[in-house]
């Protein structure tokens, strides 16, 4: 990319933000004396801060660079997934949050074990671990490539420095440092996004009306195509995928569920969740519209050869923004990646200690578990950096598309297991175990018969079954896997005895208990 280099002032701002990041780790280090404090902050965090933390957890360098790239190259169809989140969760979060706070200790997948046994727990837990490592490697890769193109610093060194800072903050300050760092980053994110958008709009001749006119005439607005075709990316595919994404993220993902546990009360946790949900969608929309506005700007201004969609936003930052603002924007981008990855590391360690270490070494003193947790943070951080290196070697053309595809593949029916657990008192362990095995076979078939690889100078499908290949869009793979678990799991359960359940583990029982508690409270009054 032919562009001016960063000034000393810009570098100074980035270094200052990195030092502030380390300060948060040191600031809360003295509180980390138990695993409860390390992973759930013992209820010391207010709901508004947890809400901001949820926002920052779901925003990363993927949002910072991937959404503008998609908005520049296409219309807003990839935004549909995010728009489905509030629609689905406004009606479900009010019972999902108290349910988890009532029935689990720390790991989300403890619920799956209580409802359907060990197999369901470890299937969902391993899927979470695989998905997190894939996502973390992608975030590091995207950040390193973008920064390297703007500063000419080696991509591997960027991954190493950022990765070590993330590990250090986690080792010192635990979840409490992660959450307050998220609050800091959340404000930087809003400020940087709004600042960039305003600069672009005022740089376009004709302003916002011209942005809208040119974008509309060139197919950069709207969410189509709207036809009912599951073989390609359509509004319907994204909407269906978004409904399951919302439940998976807010109903089965450790990074989010762990935030529910840090709140003082159920009401505080629900308020935090709603705040996080309602803030996240505007941020996704903001960065998508930055890409749209960039498309219009570069129809009026020449764009050098070799600047593709993934590079156009970094190029604009480096070539059009003044000294100081460039440093602030890049610092916000780095901070977004650090916050997202810090939350991922803490969640991975929480799952590692609860789902695996305590199973292998039960009834040990808490100090041993705390040391093991910190070791897991360090190891997970090193592995994420290694995956980032691999991605740099392999390269990538569409990061956002890869992220969504990974979600679809590694979701592997987990939402189906969760929905059966919550809404069906008839579903049992045997039925769900059979459904998971069927789901694994289906996912393997769909992935192998729809994925092309380069081989002997050409491309070929991993497993070519001709007319029986899976031809639907990859995002539908995840949807079908959830549906397979629901249908097969419920049908197979009918062949086995109805389970005897703790009422707190499913919706109807939980609602009945809540009603009794309210009536008891009135009589007491």
């Amino acid at each position: 990319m032919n562009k001016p280099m960063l000034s000393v002032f810009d570098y100074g701002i980035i270094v200052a933000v990195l030092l502030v990041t380390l300060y948060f780790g040191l600031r809360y280090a003295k509180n980390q004396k138990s695993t409860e404090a390390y992973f759930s902050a013992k209820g010391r965090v207010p709901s508004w801060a947890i809400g901001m933390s949820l926002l920052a957890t779901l925003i990363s360098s993927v949002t910072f660079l991937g959404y503008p790239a998609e908005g520049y190259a296409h219309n807003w169809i990839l935004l549909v997934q995010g728009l489905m989140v509030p629609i689905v969760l406004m009606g479900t979060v009010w019972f999902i949050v108290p349910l988890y706070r009532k029935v689990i200790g720390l790991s989300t997948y403890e619920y799956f074990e209580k409802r359907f046994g060990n197999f369901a727990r470890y299937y969902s837990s391993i899927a979470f671990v695989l998905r997190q490592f894939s996502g973390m490697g992608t975030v590091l890769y995207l950040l390193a490539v973008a920064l390297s193109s703007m500063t000419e610093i080696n991509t591997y060194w960027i991954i190493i420095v950022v990765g070590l800072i993330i590990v250090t903050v986690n080792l010192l300050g635990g979840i409490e440092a992660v959450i307050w760092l998220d609050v800091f980053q959340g404000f930087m994110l809003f400020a940087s996004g709004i600042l960039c958008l305003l600069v672009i709009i005022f740089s376009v001749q004709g302003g916002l009306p011209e942005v809208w006119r040119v974008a509309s005439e060139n197919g950069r607005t709207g969410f189509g195509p709207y036809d009912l075709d599951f073989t390609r990316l359509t509004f319907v595919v994204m909407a269906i995928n978004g409904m399951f994404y919302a439940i998976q993220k807010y109903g089965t993902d450790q990074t989010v569920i762990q935030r529910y546990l840090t709140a003082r009360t159920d009401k505080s946790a629900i308020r935090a969740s709603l705040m996080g949900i309602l803030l996240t969608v505007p941020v996704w929309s903001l960065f998508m519209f930055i890409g749209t506005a960039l498309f219009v700007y570069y129809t009026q201004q020449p764009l050098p050869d070799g600047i593709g969609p993934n590079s156009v936003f970094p190029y604009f930052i480096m070539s059009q923004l003044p000294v100081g603002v460039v440093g602030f924007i890049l610092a916000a981008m780095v901070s977004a990646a650090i916050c997202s990855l810090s939350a991922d590391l803490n969640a991975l360690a929480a799952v590692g200690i609860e789902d695996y270490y305590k199973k292998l070494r039960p009834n040990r003193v808490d100090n041993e578990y705390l040391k093991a947790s910190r070791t897991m943070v360090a190891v997970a951080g090193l592995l994420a950096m290694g995956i980032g290196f691999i991605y740099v070697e392999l390269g990538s053309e569409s990061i956002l598309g890869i992220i969504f595809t990974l979600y679809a593949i590694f979701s592997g029916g987990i939402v189906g297991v969760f929905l059966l657990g919550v809404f069906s008192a008839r579903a049992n362990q045997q039925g769900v175990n059979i459904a998971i095995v069927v789901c694994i076979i289906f996912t393997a078939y769909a992935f192998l018969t729809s994925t092309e690889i380069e081989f002997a100078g050409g491309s070929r499908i991993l497993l070519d079954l001709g007319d029986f290949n899976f031809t639907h869009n990859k995002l539908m793979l995840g949807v079908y896997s959830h549906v397979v678990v629901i249908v097969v799991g419920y049908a197979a359960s009918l062949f086995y005895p109805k389970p005897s359940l703790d009422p707190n583990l499913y919706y109807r029982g939980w609602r009945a208990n809540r009603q009794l508690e309210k009536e008891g409270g009135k009589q007491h009054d």
Side-chain angles (χ1 to χ4, degrees):
M1 184 189 300
N2 185 18
K3 74 318 176 184
M5 296 297 294
L6 287 183
S7 70
V8 174
F9 188 51
D10 292 319
Y11 278 115
I13 292 173
I14 296 172
V15 171
V17 169
L18 293 179
L19 291 176
V20 169
T21 301
L22 289 172
Y23 163 77
F24 278 101
L26 292 168
R27 169 70 177 76
Y28 296 100
K30 66 178 184 300
N31 295 340
Q32 313 310 316
K33 297 177 181 176
S34 67
T35 51
E36 183 186 5
Y38 193 67
F39 288 120
S40 63
K42 300 179 74 171
R44 282 194 292 263
V45 185
S47 59
W48 69 267
I50 299 171
M52 287 294 286
S53 177
L54 276 171
L55 164 70
T57 298
L58 299 173
I59 303 298
S60 67
S61 46
V62 173
T63 305
F64 227 108
L65 296 169
Y67 276 82
E70 290 295 333
Y72 177 85
H74 306 104
N75 66 1
W76 304 327
I77 188 170
L78 291 185
L79 196 58
V80 174
Q81 187 191 59
L83 296 176
M84 296 307 296
V85 172
I87 295 173
V88 173
L89 291 175
M90 295 298 279
T92 56
V93 73
W94 57 272
F95 77 86
I96 289 177
V97 171
L99 180 145
Y100 272 116
R101 287 176 58 86
K102 183 84 173 179
V103 302
I104 70 169
L106 178 61
S107 168
T108 304
Y109 312 106
E110 184 182 342
Y111 171 77
F112 289 78
E113 181 180 6
K114 288 183 175 178
R115 187 63 182 85
F116 295 120
N118 276 329
F119 185 54
R121 176 175 189 164
Y122 288 106
Y123 175 71
S124 53
S125 175
I126 291 170
F128 168 77
V129 171
L130 292 175
R131 197 171 60 243
Q132 289 304 102
F133 276 122
S134 297
M136 290 168 68
T138 305
V139 170
L140 278 173
Y141 161 78
L142 189 59
L143 175 71
V145 170
L147 282 182
S148 179
S149 70
M150 290 186 273
T151 64
E152 296 185 352
I153 297 175
N154 184 279
T155 50
Y156 294 102
W157 279 113
I158 293 172
I159 290 176
I160 290 171
V161 171
V162 172
L164 290 178
I165 290 174
I166 293 165
V167 170
T168 304
V169 170
N170 263 279
L171 288 176
L172 293 173
I175 191 69
E176 200 169 3
V178 171
I179 289 175
W180 286 110
L181 184 61
D182 286 347
V183 173
F184 170 72
Q185 184 263 325
F187 285 112
M188 282 192 69
L189 188 74
F190 271 115
S192 60
I194 292 170
L195 180 62
C196 283
L197 182 60
L198 289 176
V199 170
I200 298 168
I201 288 175
F202 284 111
S203 299
V204 171
Q205 296 172 18
L208 185 59
E210 186 68 4
V211 169
W212 188 263
R213 186 188 68 78
V214 175
S216 299
E217 289 178 356
N218 289 275
R220 293 303 193 278
T221 58
F223 305 97
Y226 298 99
D227 50 326
L228 194 63
D229 183 356
F230 293 153
T231 64
R232 60 197 183 104
L233 195 63
T234 64
F235 176 86
V236 176
V237 168
M238 287 303 295
I240 295 173
N241 184 269
M243 287 190 287
F244 284 95
Y245 166 80
I247 298 171
Q248 177 167 335
K249 199 67 187 174
Y250 286 83
T252 71
D253 191 299
Q254 177 70 22
T255 54
V256 174
I257 306 298
Q258 203 171 326
R259 296 300 191 284
Y260 302 160
L261 307 178
T262 59
R264 294 190 183 98
T265 64
D266 288 358
K267 287 184 178 178
S268 175
I270 292 172
R271 279 200 301 271
S273 303
L274 292 174
M275 180 179 169
I277 293 165
L278 295 176
L279 285 176
T280 304
V281 175
V283 171
W284 283 332
S285 305
L286 171 67
F287 281 90
M288 185 69 84
F289 194 68
I290 284 175
T292 306
L294 280 173
F295 170 78
V296 177
Y297 176 78
Y298 283 114
T299 59
Q300 298 179 347
Q301 306 294 331
L303 184 65
D305 293 337
I307 304 296
N310 286 332
S311 304
V312 70
F313 189 35
Y315 175 77
F316 178 84
I317 292 171
M318 294 298 294
S319 61
Q320 299 300 320
L321 297 183
V323 170
V325 176
V326 174
F328 178 76
I329 301 296
L330 296 190
M333 187 169 70
V334 174
S335 186
I338 288 176
C339 289
S340 173
L341 295 173
S342 295
D344 290 341
L345 269 190
N346 196 275
L348 276 171
V351 168
I353 202 71
E354 285 293 315
D355 289 359
Y356 303 96
Y357 193 87
K358 285 187 177 180
K359 292 286 186 180
L360 294 171
R361 295 177 65 84
N363 304 318
R364 304 289 172 158
V365 295
D366 189 68
N367 193 44
E368 177 181 329
Y369 292 140
L370 184 58
K371 289 180 179 175
S373 301
R374 286 183 160 132
T375 302
M376 289 180 185
V377 164
V379 172
L382 293 174
L383 283 174
M385 284 187 269
I387 294 170
F389 291 163
I390 294 172
Y391 284 0
V392 171
E393 289 294 322
L394 295 178
S396 178
E397 294 180 352
S398 177
I399 294 298
L400 203 56
I402 288 176
I403 286 283
F404 288 166
T405 303
L406 288 173
Y407 257 110
I409 293 171
F410 289 129
S411 58
I414 294 172
V415 172
V417 177
F418 175 72
L419 292 176
L420 272 179
V422 170
F423 291 112
S424 171
R426 185 64 184 84
N428 54 38
Q429 179 177 342
Q430 297 90 336
V432 167
N433 287 349
I434 292 170
I436 290 173
V437 172
V438 174
C439 175
I440 292 171
I441 295 171
F442 168 76
T443 304
Y445 148 76
F447 181 74
L448 292 174
T449 60
S450 63
T451 302
E452 291 189 354
I453 60 169
E454 297 296 325
F455 182 76
S459 64
R460 58 170 296 180
I461 296 175
L462 284 171
L463 176 64
D464 193 348
L465 298 180
D467 292 341
F468 297 101
N469 286 343
F470 182 82
T471 56
H472 284 193
N473 188 278
K474 280 277 177 64
L475 294 182
M476 290 305 294
L477 193 162
V479 172
Y480 293 148
S481 68
H482 302 313
V483 175
V484 164
V485 168
I486 293 171
V487 173
V488 175
Y490 186 82
S493 294
L494 298 178
F495 292 92
Y496 298 93
K498 184 178 181 180
S500 177
L501 296 175
D502 176 350
N504 291 309
L505 292 176
Y506 62 105
Y507 174 69
R508 288 175 61 187
W510 173 84
R511 190 178 64 174
N513 276 352
R514 295 277 290 198
Q515 189 63 34
L516 288 174
E517 288 173 6
K518 286 182 180 179
E519 291 174 358
K522 289 179 181 177
Q523 291 174 3
H524 182 73
D525 293 338

